[in-house]
Amino acid sequence: MASEEMAPEEVDELILRIAQERDLGALKKIHHHFMPKLMAYMLRTLDDQVSAKEASTEAMTRIWKEASVFRRSGKDGLAWIFTIARDVRLEATGRRKRPHYASGDEVVRAGSNFEIVQCDRSAADHRKAVKSYREDEAEILRMSYCEDMSISNIAATLNMSLETVRSRVRVACKKLL
Protein backbone atom coordinates (compact mmCIF):
# COMPACT_ATOMS: atom_id res chain seq x y z
CA MET A 1 0.00 0.00 0.00
CA ALA A 2 1.52 3.30 -1.08
CA SER A 3 1.62 6.07 1.46
CA GLU A 4 0.14 9.47 0.65
CA GLU A 5 2.75 11.90 -0.59
CA MET A 6 4.05 14.45 1.86
CA ALA A 7 4.34 18.11 0.88
CA PRO A 8 7.94 19.41 0.76
CA GLU A 9 7.09 22.05 3.37
CA GLU A 10 5.82 19.33 5.72
CA VAL A 11 9.06 17.35 5.30
CA ASP A 12 11.06 20.50 6.08
CA GLU A 13 8.94 21.24 9.14
CA LEU A 14 9.31 17.69 10.48
CA ILE A 15 13.09 17.81 10.10
CA LEU A 16 13.20 21.15 11.89
CA ARG A 17 11.05 19.76 14.72
CA ILE A 18 13.46 16.85 15.06
CA ALA A 19 16.40 19.26 15.10
CA GLN A 20 14.99 21.85 17.48
CA GLU A 21 12.73 19.82 19.77
CA ARG A 22 14.06 16.26 19.33
CA ASP A 23 10.42 15.46 18.46
CA LEU A 24 9.95 11.69 18.29
CA GLY A 25 6.51 12.14 16.75
CA ALA A 26 8.10 13.99 13.84
CA LEU A 27 10.68 11.23 13.45
CA LYS A 28 7.89 8.64 13.48
CA LYS A 29 6.12 10.48 10.62
CA ILE A 30 9.37 10.69 8.64
CA HIS A 31 10.00 7.00 9.31
CA HIS A 32 6.47 5.94 8.33
CA HIS A 33 6.58 7.90 5.10
CA PHE A 34 10.16 7.34 3.95
CA MET A 35 11.17 3.90 5.22
CA PRO A 36 9.40 2.00 2.39
CA LYS A 37 11.02 4.33 -0.17
CA LEU A 38 14.43 3.93 1.44
CA MET A 39 14.03 0.15 1.44
CA ALA A 40 13.10 0.15 -2.25
CA TYR A 41 16.17 2.26 -3.01
CA MET A 42 18.51 0.09 -0.93
CA LEU A 43 17.14 -3.14 -2.40
CA ARG A 44 18.04 -1.92 -5.90
CA THR A 45 21.75 -1.79 -5.15
CA LEU A 46 22.51 -3.94 -2.13
CA ASP A 47 22.85 -7.71 -2.16
CA ASP A 48 19.98 -8.77 0.04
CA GLN A 49 17.02 -7.68 2.13
CA VAL A 50 18.97 -7.79 5.41
CA SER A 51 21.62 -5.40 4.06
CA ALA A 52 18.92 -3.14 2.65
CA LYS A 53 17.09 -3.04 5.99
CA GLU A 54 20.32 -2.28 7.86
CA ALA A 55 21.19 0.52 5.44
CA SER A 56 17.66 1.98 5.61
CA THR A 57 17.77 1.90 9.40
CA GLU A 58 21.18 3.57 9.37
CA ALA A 59 19.78 6.32 7.13
CA MET A 60 16.93 6.91 9.62
CA THR A 61 19.43 7.03 12.48
CA ARG A 62 21.48 9.64 10.64
CA ILE A 63 18.38 11.70 9.92
CA TRP A 64 17.82 11.83 13.69
CA LYS A 65 21.46 12.57 14.50
CA GLU A 66 22.11 15.06 11.68
CA ALA A 67 18.81 16.97 11.79
CA SER A 68 20.52 19.86 13.55
CA VAL A 69 22.59 20.62 10.42
CA PHE A 70 19.52 20.91 8.19
CA ARG A 71 18.63 24.50 7.40
CA ARG A 72 15.41 25.33 5.61
CA SER A 73 16.88 28.42 3.90
CA GLY A 74 16.45 27.25 0.33
CA LYS A 75 17.36 23.67 1.07
CA ASP A 76 14.96 20.85 0.24
CA GLY A 77 14.27 18.40 3.10
CA LEU A 78 13.38 15.64 0.69
CA ALA A 79 16.70 16.02 -1.11
CA TRP A 80 18.50 16.15 2.23
CA ILE A 81 16.93 12.85 3.36
CA PHE A 82 17.79 11.10 0.11
CA THR A 83 21.31 12.50 0.17
CA ILE A 84 21.77 10.78 3.50
CA ALA A 85 20.30 7.57 2.10
CA ARG A 86 22.52 7.76 -0.95
CA ASP A 87 25.61 8.25 1.18
CA VAL A 88 24.67 5.29 3.39
CA ARG A 89 24.19 3.18 0.26
CA LEU A 90 27.58 4.25 -1.09
CA GLU A 91 29.22 3.42 2.22
CA ALA A 92 27.48 0.03 2.28
CA THR A 93 28.83 -0.76 -1.16
CA GLY A 94 32.27 0.53 -0.13
CA ARG A 95 32.44 3.20 -2.82
CA ARG A 96 32.69 6.44 -0.87
CA LYS A 97 32.08 8.03 2.49
CA ARG A 98 30.71 11.52 3.11
CA PRO A 99 30.26 12.07 6.84
CA HIS A 100 28.59 15.50 6.96
CA TYR A 101 25.37 16.69 5.31
CA ALA A 102 25.39 20.48 5.65
CA SER A 103 27.20 21.67 2.54
CA GLY A 104 25.17 22.98 -0.35
CA ASP A 105 26.21 20.33 -2.84
CA GLU A 106 25.26 17.47 -0.60
CA VAL A 107 22.03 18.87 0.77
CA VAL A 108 20.61 19.86 -2.60
CA ARG A 109 21.42 16.66 -4.46
CA ALA A 110 18.27 14.64 -4.94
CA GLY A 111 19.73 11.59 -6.64
CA SER A 112 18.09 9.14 -4.35
CA ASN A 113 14.72 10.77 -4.87
CA PHE A 114 15.04 10.11 -8.60
CA GLU A 115 15.91 6.48 -8.04
CA ILE A 116 13.11 5.92 -5.49
CA VAL A 117 10.51 7.38 -7.82
CA GLN A 118 11.92 5.17 -10.54
CA CYS A 119 11.36 2.12 -8.30
CA ASP A 120 7.80 3.15 -7.47
CA ARG A 121 6.64 3.75 -11.03
CA SER A 122 5.81 1.26 -13.73
CA ALA A 123 8.35 1.10 -16.53
CA ALA A 124 5.88 2.68 -18.97
CA ASP A 125 5.16 5.60 -16.63
CA HIS A 126 8.87 6.14 -16.12
CA ARG A 127 9.64 6.14 -19.84
CA LYS A 128 6.84 8.65 -20.42
CA ALA A 129 8.19 10.98 -17.70
CA VAL A 130 11.76 10.75 -18.99
CA LYS A 131 10.62 11.64 -22.52
CA SER A 132 9.27 14.91 -21.13
CA TYR A 133 12.78 16.00 -20.04
CA ARG A 134 14.66 18.62 -21.93
CA GLU A 135 18.00 17.34 -23.19
CA ASP A 136 19.95 19.32 -20.58
CA GLU A 137 17.80 17.94 -17.73
CA ALA A 138 18.33 14.38 -18.90
CA GLU A 139 22.10 14.92 -19.19
CA ILE A 140 22.35 16.43 -15.71
CA LEU A 141 20.34 13.58 -14.17
CA ARG A 142 22.45 10.99 -15.99
CA MET A 143 25.66 12.58 -14.74
CA SER A 144 24.40 12.87 -11.18
CA TYR A 145 22.56 9.60 -10.72
CA CYS A 146 24.28 7.22 -13.10
CA GLU A 147 27.83 8.53 -12.88
CA ASP A 148 27.60 9.70 -9.22
CA MET A 149 29.03 13.11 -10.13
CA SER A 150 28.64 15.93 -7.61
CA ILE A 151 26.65 19.04 -8.50
CA SER A 152 29.87 21.09 -8.53
CA ASN A 153 31.55 18.63 -10.94
CA ILE A 154 28.51 18.66 -13.22
CA ALA A 155 28.48 22.47 -13.20
CA ALA A 156 32.17 22.57 -14.11
CA THR A 157 31.83 19.91 -16.81
CA LEU A 158 28.84 21.64 -18.44
CA ASN A 159 30.13 25.16 -17.79
CA MET A 160 26.99 26.07 -15.83
CA SER A 161 26.44 27.74 -12.48
CA LEU A 162 25.74 25.59 -9.44
CA GLU A 163 22.29 27.16 -9.09
CA THR A 164 21.42 26.34 -12.71
CA VAL A 165 22.36 22.70 -12.22
CA ARG A 166 20.46 22.51 -8.91
CA SER A 167 17.41 24.09 -10.48
CA ARG A 168 17.39 21.65 -13.38
CA VAL A 169 17.70 18.68 -11.03
CA ARG A 170 14.70 19.93 -9.05
CA VAL A 171 12.61 20.54 -12.17
CA ALA A 172 13.43 17.11 -13.60
CA CYS A 173 12.69 15.32 -10.33
CA LYS A 174 9.33 17.10 -10.00
CA LYS A 175 8.35 15.74 -13.41
CA LEU A 176 8.73 12.23 -12.01
CA LEU A 177 6.40 12.95 -9.12
Side-chain angles (χ1 to χ4, degrees):
M1 175 170 106
S3 62
E4 188 175 311
E5 285 305 310
M6 194 179 284
E9 299 80 22
E10 184 179 0
V11 175
D12 294 353
E13 184 61 35
L14 290 171
I15 295 169
L16 289 172
R17 284 178 31 205
I18 292 168
Q20 296 166 355
E21 304 165 22
R22 305 307 285 167
D23 185 337
L24 288 173
L27 180 65
K28 183 177 178 180
K29 286 180 181 179
I30 293 278
H31 183 275
H32 177 74
H33 182 76
F34 287 103
M35 192 58 144
K37 296 172 189 273
L38 295 176
M39 276 294 295
Y41 173 61
M42 297 301 180
L43 281 169
R44 283 178 43 108
T45 54
L46 299 178
D47 294 333
D48 57 76
Q49 191 150 2
V50 172
S51 298
K53 179 71 174 172
E54 287 174 359
S56 300
T57 301
E58 174 62 23
M60 282 293 160
T61 301
R62 288 193 191 175
I63 290 166
W64 174 258
K65 289 179 178 177
E66 297 287 334
S68 63
V69 301
F70 175 75
R71 290 177 215 77
R72 185 188 304 197
S73 58
K75 310 269 190 306
D76 180 350
L78 180 66
W80 183 80
I81 287 172
F82 285 112
T83 296
I84 290 173
R86 181 174 180 268
D87 291 345
V88 169
R89 175 186 59 90
L90 292 172
E91 290 170 23
T93 58
R95 292 174 51 194
R96 164 170 46 170
K97 183 173 181 175
R98 285 199 244 161
H100 188 68
Y101 304 101
S103 80
D105 255 9
E106 296 163 357
V107 174
V108 175
R109 291 187 75 188
S112 302
N113 182 34
F114 174 76
E115 293 179 59
I116 294 305
V117 173
Q118 184 179 2
C119 289
D120 291 343
R121 289 184 159 237
S122 72
D125 286 344
H126 179 67
R127 280 191 297 276
K128 183 178 176 184
V130 169
K131 285 181 182 178
S132 71
Y133 290 163
R134 293 188 333 236
E135 187 175 322
D136 59 335
E137 292 170 343
E139 178 68 6
I140 289 169
L141 288 178
R142 184 190 60 73
M143 293 170 86
S144 180
Y145 310 128
C146 298
E147 297 178 19
D148 287 331
M149 289 178 69
S150 71
I151 295 294
S152 58
N153 287 342
I154 294 169
T157 301
L158 298 177
N159 197 26
M160 294 180 174
S161 72
L162 288 173
E163 285 308 311
T164 299
V165 174
R166 289 176 181 142
S167 175
R168 291 184 183 166
V169 167
R170 285 187 198 107
V171 168
C173 286
K174 284 180 183 179
K175 287 180 183 179
L176 287 173
L177 301 173

